[in-house]
């Protein structure tokens, strides 16, 4: 299996790059943000719980997210691999993911960190807010999400560096150039793991 996680600050282009990766490597895409938004739309119990956190720019509590992810993994047993987009976002989630994959005799092969300067992130997110009307893309909440990212998610960089799985990709470039860098990294890893 080929299991990859992609992370970076809000607005870094995770979703766009994940779609390109899915197409090329035929992986199952799990975007925890998309799953949560669908749950909110359907007004499920999880959706209603998540809404309050998302609207404030906070993370949804680890136990809810980890359970949600475990259920998705369980209901997709025959995939070639997964791309985890927006997960893990805390050390606790990273450890949980390692355990869940270990139970299947699997592991993460690479964690791609899409690196984009803060001013560009803010600009992209404000534009998206105007175009798509996402409830968390307004200036005050954007600031909060960037702060949440720095405090809770950035420590994962060291976690994956220690495992030798961390790869930085410069995200402030045209979409196809970013993808070309990702493709080089993944193709090399696939070749080495053959
Ligand atoms: P972005 O990366 O632009 O913030 P996402 O769609 O990945 O967008 O996430 C939107 C929101 O959903 C986050 O701000 C957070 O509240 C919630 N969320 C998504 N994934 C997770 C996660 N792994 N853990 C906790 N909360 C999450």
């Amino acid at each position: 299996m080929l299991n990859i996680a992609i992370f970076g600050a809000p607005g870094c282009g995770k979703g766009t790059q994940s779609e390109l990766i899915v197409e090329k490597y035929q992986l199952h895409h799990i975007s925890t943000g998309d799953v949560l938004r669908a749950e909110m739309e359907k007004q499920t119990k999880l959706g209603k719980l998540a809404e309050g956190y998302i609207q404030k720019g906070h993370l949804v509590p680890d136990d809810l997210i980890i359970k949600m992810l475990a259920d998705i993994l369980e209901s997709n047993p025959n995939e070639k691999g997964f791309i985890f987009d927006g997960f893990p976002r805390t050390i606790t989630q990273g450890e949980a993911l390692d355990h869940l994959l270990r139970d299947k005799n699997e592991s993460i092969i690479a964690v791609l960190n899409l690196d984009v300067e803060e001013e560009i992130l803010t600009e992209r997110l404000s534009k998206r807010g105007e175009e798509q009307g996402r409830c968390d893309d307004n200036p005050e909440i954007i600031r909060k999400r960037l702060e949440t990212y720095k405090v809770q998610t950035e420590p994962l960089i060291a976690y994956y560096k220690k495992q030798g799985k961390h790869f930085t990709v410069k995200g402030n470039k045209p979409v196809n150039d970013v993808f070309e860098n990702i493709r080089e990294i993944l193709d090399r890893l696939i070749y080495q793991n053959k």
Side-chain angles (χ1 to χ4, degrees), residues 7-15 31-37 40 50-62 64-66 68-69 85-90 93 125 128 134 136-137 141 144-146 148-149 152-153:
F7 84 89
C12 70
K14 293 189 298 281
S31 157
T32 44
D34 285 351
V35 176
L36 291 169
R37 278 184 289 277
M40 272 158 54
E51 199 158 14
Y53 296 98
I54 291 177
Q55 281 174 345
K56 290 197 193 86
H58 295 162
L59 293 183
V60 175
D62 284 335
L64 292 178
I65 293 285
I66 290 166
M68 180 180 103
L69 192 99
D85 163 5
F87 183 94
R89 258 171 148 105
T90 62
Q93 292 181 17
L125 291 169
R128 186 172 75 186
R134 238 175 79 165
D136 54 353
D137 281 344
I141 305 302
K144 183 71 206 162
R145 281 157 64 209
L146 288 170
T148 303
Y149 171 77
Q152 292 184 267
T153 307

Side-chain angles (χ1 to χ4, degrees), residues 7-10 59 88-91 111 113-116 118 121 145-161 166:
F7 84 89
L59 293 183
R89 258 171 148 105
T90 62
I91 298 278
V111 175
N113 179 10
L114 277 184
D115 188 30
V116 178
E118 196 161 322
L121 295 172
R145 281 157 64 209
L146 288 170
E147 188 189 313
T148 303
Y149 171 77
K150 276 197 193 132
V151 176
Q152 292 184 267
T153 307
E154 256 182 13
L156 276 168
I157 295 177
Y159 179 80
Y160 285 111
K161 270 191 179 158
H166 176 267

